[in-house]
Amino acid sequence: MVDRKLQRAGALSELIGGAVKNLKVEERPAEKAAGVIEIDPSKTRMNDLHRRSKATMSGAAIQEMVEMFRATGQTNPAKGWKLEKSDADGAEVVLVYGARRRAAALELNRPLKVELLPSPPDRSTVIRLMHGENRGRLDYLPLEDAREYKAFLESGEYRTAEEMAVAL
């Protein structure tokens, strides 16, 4: 009985994951890339809405990305925007998404490829882009979704779950 439930859950997860991967989300003008750069990953930082679990950003969770970088290089750029001047920590680029790619590039001491947005996006665009990028990952944990949703509601980014569902 338990095995059958696990099989059904696995099949459903694959079906949903495949559907999400095949979704075509129309890019808004503020989301179109201005180009791709390579930058020292230590000169980048995550945006202030980034809420990834530490467990998914260290150890074995990052090792897979490190091995992929070693084997094939960085095939998918992170996404971010360039600051007018470096911030207090020396960051020149703020990343919308790409925390695992950044961690792998830091570990390997390699440049990080970043697809630049033409200008700093508003908070709702950052949320939409982050959420869209992570929803396509099959290894994205429901707990990460829950933490993200809770934080967006508590911070006032969205007043209700319904408003957040429509926006995302």
Side-chain angles (χ1 to χ4, degrees):
M1 175 87 163
V2 172
D3 287 339
R4 188 176 296 170
K5 284 184 180 179
L6 287 174
Q7 286 175 340
R8 280 191 298 202
L12 182 58
S13 178
E14 285 181 35
L15 178 67
I16 292 170
V20 168
K21 277 183 140 179
N22 291 325
L23 282 176
K24 298 286 186 207
V25 178
E26 185 177 321
E27 275 190 333
R28 297 175 182 169
E31 299 169 8
K32 292 189 188 259
V36 176
I37 64 166
E38 289 191 0
I39 186 169
D40 177 342
S42 68
K43 293 183 178 185
T44 66
R45 69 171 171 83
M46 296 310 300
N47 70 78
D48 65 342
L49 294 168
H50 179 261
R51 295 183 174 90
R52 294 293 301 276
S53 155
K54 283 186 171 55
T56 65
M57 294 303 305
S58 61
I62 295 300
Q63 203 54 43
E64 183 180 328
M65 184 71 66
V66 168
E67 293 307 317
M68 186 175 73
F69 271 38
R70 277 193 182 119
T72 61
Q74 182 187 351
T75 56
N76 294 318
K79 187 170 265 193
W81 69 92
K82 198 155 181 56
L83 295 170
E84 287 185 27
K85 61 180 187 162
S86 299
D87 69 12
D89 295 324
E92 297 173 7
V93 171
V94 177
L95 300 178
V96 174
Y97 58 74
R100 294 180 322 133
R101 287 166 260 201
R102 180 181 184 273
L106 279 167
E107 185 167 322
L108 293 169
N109 197 26
R110 289 189 182 172
L112 177 68
K113 292 178 185 173
V114 180
E115 182 178 39
L116 291 177
L117 294 167
S119 60
D122 60 30
R123 292 173 71 82
S124 64
T125 300
V126 171
I127 291 168
R128 183 174 180 268
L129 289 171
M130 282 190 322
H131 186 73
E133 172 74 0
N134 286 323
R135 292 306 307 146
R137 287 187 32 229
L138 294 177
D139 64 344
Y140 194 61
L141 302 173
L143 179 60
E144 291 179 280
D145 263 345
R147 284 184 178 145
E148 186 176 82
Y149 297 155
K150 181 180 180 215
F152 293 152
L153 290 169
E154 288 176 349
S155 70
E157 294 296 329
Y158 300 105
R159 292 183 305 254
T160 66
E162 292 78 17
E163 179 184 336
M164 182 169 48
V166 167
L168 297 177

